[in-house]
Amino acid sequence: MKILIVFLMLISTTRLFANQCIPLNPQLGFSKANEKHIAAICNRLLDCVIQEDSNQEVIHCKKKIPNYPKPVHFYIPANINFDKEVQSFVHFHGHNIGRDHFYKTKTPGEGYGDYGDFLSKSKANGVLIIPESDGNCSTYDSFFKSAQNTNAFFKDISSVLKTQASTVNLSGHSGAYRVLNQFAKHINEGSADELKKVQSFGLFDATYGSIEPIEKWMRAKKSTNQKYLFYDSFVSGPKATASKISFELMKKYEANPSKNIIFKPVNDQKEKDSILLHFNVLRDGGLKKFFEASSSVM
């Protein structure tokens, strides 16, 4: 029995159990102040594996969701209040081009994969959910094309969080604009009830094609005086590859400006690596600011 306990203590990841909310990996070094936070997560995210980049500000869990073919990541900030409305931020990463989307830098908040730090620093009362996809966002494209799959996924997310119905904020990087368009189509067609809770769309260097379905969603929200947010951040310098449509959108909407529509061009001449610049739009373009803006939608 002692040998088994020692073996479990050496496991590099931490698994949450219904009756055991103390991390099995002591190297994660959670403080006493985090015990209530971990217990609260345990009550909502059973069978979730705590990742090594978890810290005192945010817990990063990874788990399997029924029917979805890839792992799903959850980021839960320590300052979250489960007694209040908890917003769901569901983010979709971009194409896999030799970079680890979940890479975390040594300095929190300085890299494209520092999702938890962006959320915790925003002070938004929400949970960030990121489903993984195979290369070229192919899992997103195939799975969420079905309204039935889409509805089931978001229903499962709500069930996992075990919280009252909350607003849903969707964002995507790079090629994930396609799945955001697909979600907007489901909403416009009324084919996925769970998406009725969506109040925000955030694009991060992602206007590689038309986003007419999202624009149609915006027009419908505006016509019925509903709360909504459209946030578009994109690389706008000489190395930009997705700026044309974003600039067209800026010109289109600048004649009738709205606090519900935000554009954040990023012209970062300091970054020599164009691919890294494309990734770092999440940092420089303000994923943190998107969380903040979504939390205070007019």
Side-chain angles (χ1 to χ4, degrees), residues 202-207 230-234 246 249 262-265:
L203 296 169
F204 289 86
D205 212 33
T207 48
F230 173 73
Y231 189 106
D232 180 13
S233 181
F234 58 97
S246 285
L249 289 170
I262 300 173
F263 293 97
K264 292 287 184 182

Side-chain angles (χ1 to χ4, degrees), residues 193-226:
D193 288 343
E194 291 294 319
L195 291 182
K196 291 179 179 178
K197 304 170 188 175
V198 171
Q199 72 167 7
S200 303
F201 276 94
L203 296 169
F204 289 86
D205 212 33
T207 48
Y208 287 91
S210 170
I211 58 163
E212 171 54 30
I214 297 176
E215 288 192 84
K216 184 176 180 180
W217 169 84
M218 291 164 57
R219 292 193 295 269
K221 286 286 188 180
K222 184 178 180 179
S223 66
T224 53
N225 294 317
Q226 296 183 60

Side-chain angles (χ1 to χ4, degrees), residues 57 77 79-81 87 89 116-126 288 291-292 295:
E57 285 72 43
N79 57 15
I80 196 168
N81 186 347
Q87 294 199 53
F89 296 96
D117 292 289
F118 297 143
L119 180 62
S120 63
K121 287 182 173 61
S122 74
K123 306 300 182 183
N125 197 55
K288 169 179 171 288
F291 296 148
E292 292 171 344
S295 298

Side-chain angles (χ1 to χ4, degrees), residues 97 99 173 271-280:
I97 48 178
R99 305 272 178 169
H173 176 240
E271 181 56 68
K272 296 180 180 179
D273 185 336
S274 60
I275 295 179
L276 194 58
L277 174 61
H278 169 63
F279 273 92
N280 278 342

